[in-house]
Amino acid sequence: AAVWLSVAGRRRALSVEYFSGTSAVCLTFASHRRALSVEWGAWVAHCMLSARWTMRRARAAACCAAAAAALGLFAGEAGAARAAASAASVAPSLPVAMVGSAGASVAQGPLPVVSMHGLGDHSESEGMTKFRELASTLLGGVYSTSVRIGGDAAEDVANSFLMPLNRQVELYAEAVRADANLKGGFYAVGYSQGNLVVRGYIQRYNDPPVRRFASFHGPHGGVAGYPECNVTGVVCEEFARFLGELAYGELAQSHIAPANYLRDPDRVKAFVEGCTFLPDVNQMREVNATYKANVLSLERLLLVKAMKDLVLVPPDSAFFGYYEADQSSWRVVDGHADAVFKNDTLGLSTLEREGKLLYGTTPGGHMQWTEQQWTALFLRAFADGISSGSV
C-alpha cells in the first residue's frame, strides 16, 4: 500500500507540474492576438493529462468538448456546444455506432452514404445532420448515416481530439462492417480530419468497399501548424516549435490525434520516423501494394480545398501539398511534385489519367461553404455523367 501511494503521489505531482508548464506557456502568449492556437494546445494538453494520469474519461471528454465549443472551429460547433453542456454525464463506455440514419437502402442505383466528422465535431451535430440528410435527398432517398467514435456526443467530440487516428480507423471499420445496409459497398464523405480516417479505412480494410469518396478539406499532406495560427509569425513559430518537440514522442502520438498528421518542415526525419499515421498511409516509409490497390478500386475520388483555409496549414494539404523542408522560404510543395504522385505510390496519378480523380474548391475558410456549393461538389463526386476537372 505504501508503494502504491508513493507511485500515485509521484504521478499526480508529475501531472500538476506538466500542466502548470503548459499553462505558463499559454499565459506567456495570451496577449498576442493569435493566441487561439496556444489556448487550443493547452486545452488538448490538459485533456491528455486528465486521461493519462487521472484515468477519468468524463473529465477528459468535458474538457475537449468545452474547448471545441469555445473555439467554434468546425461545422459542428452548435452540436459541440451542446456536448459541452452535457459532458459531465459522459459514460466511461466506448461503443461504436452508426447514427442518424435516413432513407432506405437500395439494391440498384446510388449506394448508401457514410459520413465521417472531423476534429471537434460529432456525428449528430447540426452540420453533420443537415448534410447527411441532404445527401440522402440528392441521391433519391438512399440510406445515409454517420460514424460515431464515442458513446455519446460529448465523448465523440473528445475522442476526435484524444484518440489516435489508427484507433479511429479501426472503429470506423467496425462500424461499417456491423451495418447490414453497407454490405454491398458505399459512398464515403469525409470532413477535415475525418478524411484521414476514411482514407485509412480504404487503404487498410475496404471491406465493405468504398466505391466513391468525397474529401472536404482533408489534411492529406499533413499540417505544419495549428488552427488559426499563421505559422510564419514569430509567436506561432515559437509555439509550433514548443509542441513540435513533443509531437513525435509516444505520449503525443498516443493521445493527440492532430499529432498523427503534424508535418514539421524543420523535422522531416523525426516526422517520418516518429509520426504513427500519415507517413504510413502516404507510403513514405515503404510501399504497401494493398494500399495502392484499394485506392485504385475507387470509381471516383473528389478532393476539395478551401481557398482561405487557416486550419489546414498549408491549404494545399487538401491536394496532398505541404511545406518544403526549409522554413526560411515557406514554399509549398505541390502534391504532384511529391512521390505520392510522381511515383504513383498510391495510384493517384493513375486515377487522374483515367478521369477518376477530381478537384474542387470552396472560396471561404475551413469547413465553410453554402448549401449550393456543397451540393454542386457532392453531385460531382456521386452523380453519374461527371467528367474530371475542377469546380
Side-chain angles (χ1 to χ4, degrees), residues 12-373:
R12 180 173 294 277
L14 179 59
S15 174
V16 172
E17 178 182 354
Y18 194 98
F19 182 60
S20 296
T22 305
S23 299
V25 173
C26 183
L27 290 173
T28 299
F29 295 130
S31 61
H32 195 276
R33 68 184 181 88
R34 304 196 75 88
L36 174 63
S37 175
V38 180
E39 294 169 8
W40 177 85
W43 271 110
V44 174
H46 185 192
C47 293
M48 177 185 70
L49 291 165
S50 296
R52 184 170 179 84
W53 281 294
T54 71
M55 301 301 290
R56 292 173 61 188
R57 183 182 293 276
R59 178 180 171 191
C63 176
C64 282
L71 297 180
L73 294 176
F74 299 93
E77 60 185 71
R82 291 192 295 273
S86 62
S89 61
V90 173
S93 60
L94 181 60
V96 181
M98 310 294 289
V99 299
S101 301
S105 61
V106 292
Q108 303 294 330
L111 294 176
V113 179
V114 177
S115 300
M116 183 64 209
H117 67 80
L119 184 71
D121 202 355
H122 65 89
S123 61
E124 298 171 273
S125 69
E126 182 179 353
M128 289 295 292
T129 299
K130 174 182 178 179
F131 290 106
R132 181 179 65 241
E133 294 176 349
L134 181 56
S136 177
T137 300
L138 291 171
L139 296 182
V142 300
Y143 177 81
S144 182
T145 188
S146 299
V147 172
R148 186 176 66 199
I149 56 172
D152 58 14
E155 196 168 34
D156 203 4
V157 172
N159 288 337
S160 74
F161 283 98
L162 297 173
M163 182 179 285
L165 290 183
N166 286 322
R167 181 57 180 154
Q168 292 190 38
V169 171
E170 291 174 356
L171 296 185
Y172 184 97
E174 290 177 14
V176 298
R177 287 176 168 180
D179 192 332
N181 293 290
L182 307 177
K183 63 182 180 180
F186 59 96
Y187 296 159
V189 180
Y191 298 103
S192 191
Q193 177 180 279
N195 288 291
L196 294 181
V197 177
V198 176
R199 187 153 67 86
Y201 168 79
I202 293 172
Q203 294 176 210
R204 295 173 178 175
Y205 297 90
N206 214 33
D207 180 23
V210 174
R211 300 300 186 188
R212 301 180 184 183
F213 174 27
S215 168
F216 287 86
H217 307 170
H220 297 291
V223 295
Y226 292 88
E228 298 284 355
C229 192
N230 176 5
V231 294
T232 62
V234 174
V235 170
C236 289
E237 281 183 350
E238 291 303 317
F239 178 63
R241 185 173 293 112
F242 168 76
L243 291 183
E245 293 299 321
L246 306 174
Y248 302 126
E250 188 276 335
L251 189 62
Q253 288 295 311
S254 298
H255 293 88
I256 304 179
N260 297 159
Y261 52 95
L262 178 67
R263 189 170 187 162
D264 187 342
D266 249 0
R267 305 180 66 208
V268 177
K269 186 174 184 292
F271 161 69
V272 173
E273 295 178 352
C275 188
T276 59
F277 186 82
L278 194 67
D280 176 65
V281 296
N282 281 12
Q283 307 270 53
M284 298 179 69
R285 298 188 184 115
E286 59 184 29
V287 176
N288 185 316
T290 299
Y291 286 8
K292 181 175 180 178
N294 287 352
V295 171
L296 285 172
S297 72
L298 291 171
E299 297 172 357
R300 194 172 298 163
L301 169 61
L302 171 67
L303 302 176
V304 182
K305 165 187 169 183
M307 299 303 291
K308 297 179 181 179
D309 205 323
L310 294 176
V311 174
L312 297 195
V313 186
D316 293 83
S317 178
F319 293 165
F320 285 84
Y322 55 91
Y323 284 123
E324 68 177 352
D326 178 10
Q327 286 192 350
S328 63
S329 65
W330 294 106
R331 187 181 73 85
V332 175
V333 177
D334 184 275
H336 285 80
D338 186 65
V340 73
F341 273 93
K342 288 171 60 178
N343 299 336
D344 203 18
T345 54
L346 273 181
L348 296 175
S349 292
T350 299
L351 289 181
E352 194 168 42
R353 286 195 303 271
E354 295 176 351
K356 298 177 180 178
L357 176 57
L358 293 78
Y359 300 90
T361 61
T362 53
H366 192 71
M367 295 294 287
Q368 295 177 0
W369 49 65
T370 65
E371 182 176 317
Q372 183 179 15
Q373 291 165 349

